[in-house]
Amino acid sequence: MSTILFNEIVFGPVHSRRMGTSLGINLLPYDGKLCSFDCIYCECGFNKDFRTRTGLPDRKEVKAALEDKLSFLKSEGSTLDVITFAGNGEPTMHPKFKEIIEDTIELRNQYYPETEISVLSNGMHLKNPGVFEALMKVEKAVLKLDSAFDETVRLIDRPNSPDYSVSRQIELYKKFKGNFILQTMFLKGEFEGKFIDNTSEAEVSAWLELLKAIKPKEVMIYTIDRETPAEGLKKAPYELLQKIASRVEELGIRTNVAG
């Protein structure tokens, strides 16, 4: 099983299928994974296989690492499309997430004022007012929704909260009043004896109904790109992703497809 773990706070820049030239920020431990989801397709592997023995980087460490990198890139004349919070798990789990976002905005304005800030999040921690406030300040709050059905989410994303429900997430997403990007992974396969397919007509139709309710400014549709910790998963065909995207665009929502 191949996995990707980031062993530093600031990494890249790398080319992202969905973001362009992206400088990554990892607010999680460097020697393992820390996430409130345990997605069967996660490039970082399963939570149980990568338990960490180190703590989270503190706010000062994050700011210093980011300033060093931005200063270096600026001196080299490098271009930068986006600064992306991703890394070894869920970035909004960091207790100083709000303050780190504020520091990042300050440094971005100083070194790369045209560069956008993005956060890739599963959305589980939006009940925290600080997390919501911080996400409202960035240009690209990218929030996950892999299915309209609780049962499918529990098969694909495996949230660690027994109280997780799609309906509760939808109410939280509505608070953004459209000022966010929805991200959905489409795939098929089998895991632990259960068949998984969120590309069926029933799945897609129900998902489209939720899009009507939350009205994101953009939808990112993608499928498996790297080796997954769960064997037996299959990419959704690019042609199918395009068909789903055309149905999203009929709702007046911009769509970004990565096959």
Side-chain angles (χ1 to χ4, degrees):
M1 176 181 65
S2 176
T3 57
I4 299 173
L5 289 175
F6 301 95
N7 60 4
E8 51 191 341
I9 298 171
V10 179
F11 56 93
V14 298
H15 178 73
S16 165
R17 290 186 294 167
R18 291 157 284 162
M19 300 288 187
T21 303
S22 173
L23 183 67
I25 300 181
N26 173 38
L27 298 184
L28 289 311
Y30 65 86
D31 65 340
K33 183 186 172 191
L34 187 62
C35 195
S36 44
F37 272 12
D38 196 13
C39 299
I40 60 176
Y41 58 79
C42 181
E43 65 184 30
C44 295
F46 290 133
N47 294 347
K48 66 180 177 64
D49 296 326
F50 294 95
R51 298 196 185 280
T52 176
R53 293 180 175 82
T54 61
L56 305 177
D58 67 29
R59 176 184 178 182
K60 289 182 180 179
E61 289 176 319
V62 176
K63 186 173 184 179
L66 180 58
E67 183 160 24
D68 283 349
K69 177 65 80 168
L70 291 178
S71 176
F72 173 74
L73 292 174
K74 191 73 174 180
S75 69
E76 281 201 326
S78 301
T79 59
L80 192 61
D81 295 317
V82 64
I83 298 169
T84 303
F85 286 81
N88 300 337
E90 173 55 41
T92 65
M93 293 178 71
H94 196 291
K96 294 294 183 182
F97 177 73
K98 175 177 176 288
E99 292 82 359
I100 290 170
I101 289 293
E102 291 169 352
D103 292 340
T104 302
I105 292 171
E106 175 191 332
L107 292 173
R108 182 275 308 273
N109 291 347
Q110 178 181 348
Y111 290 98
Y112 280 90
E114 302 303 317
T115 295
E116 295 182 316
I117 298 171
S118 172
V119 179
L120 306 185
S121 173
N122 61 31
M124 271 194 67
H125 305 278
L126 293 174
K127 291 176 287 186
N128 180 332
V131 170
F132 176 75
E133 182 182 336
L135 290 175
M136 286 294 290
K137 292 181 178 180
V138 304
E139 287 77 20
K140 292 183 175 180
V142 184
L143 306 176
K144 182 183 293 294
L145 183 66
D146 285 339
S147 175
F149 302 115
D150 289 349
E151 181 180 0
T152 305
V153 170
R154 292 200 173 279
L155 288 173
I156 295 177
D157 301 319
R158 306 198 300 168
N160 64 12
S161 170
D163 298 327
Y164 178 92
S165 74
V166 172
S167 61
R168 190 175 295 115
Q169 284 303 116
I170 293 303
E171 292 307 309
L172 291 170
Y173 289 173
K174 285 180 180 178
K175 292 174 60 179
F176 285 88
K177 297 181 179 179
N179 187 30
F180 77 102
I181 298 169
L182 189 79
Q183 176 181 255
T184 300
M185 161 73 78
F186 286 103
L187 51 76
K188 294 182 180 182
E190 186 176 330
F191 179 65
E192 294 184 342
K194 295 182 179 179
F195 180 69
I196 298 166
D197 181 8
N198 67 343
T199 71
S200 68
E201 180 56 33
E203 285 275 355
V204 174
S205 295
W207 175 79
L208 288 168
E209 288 301 313
L210 294 185
L211 295 191
K212 294 178 185 178
I214 57 180
K215 300 181 175 66
K217 64 182 178 182
E218 181 179 341
V219 173
M220 289 183 173
I221 294 173
Y222 68 128
T223 191
I224 297 167
D225 183 49
R226 299 183 176 97
E227 188 174 349
T228 60
E231 298 179 0
L233 302 183
K234 298 179 181 179
K235 296 179 63 166
Y238 185 70
E239 296 76 14
L240 177 58
L241 298 182
Q242 289 282 25
K243 289 179 180 178
I244 295 172
S246 67
R247 296 173 70 176
V248 176
E249 289 168 357
E250 288 174 3
L251 302 177
I253 302 172
R254 184 174 62 189
T255 310
N256 183 326
V257 179

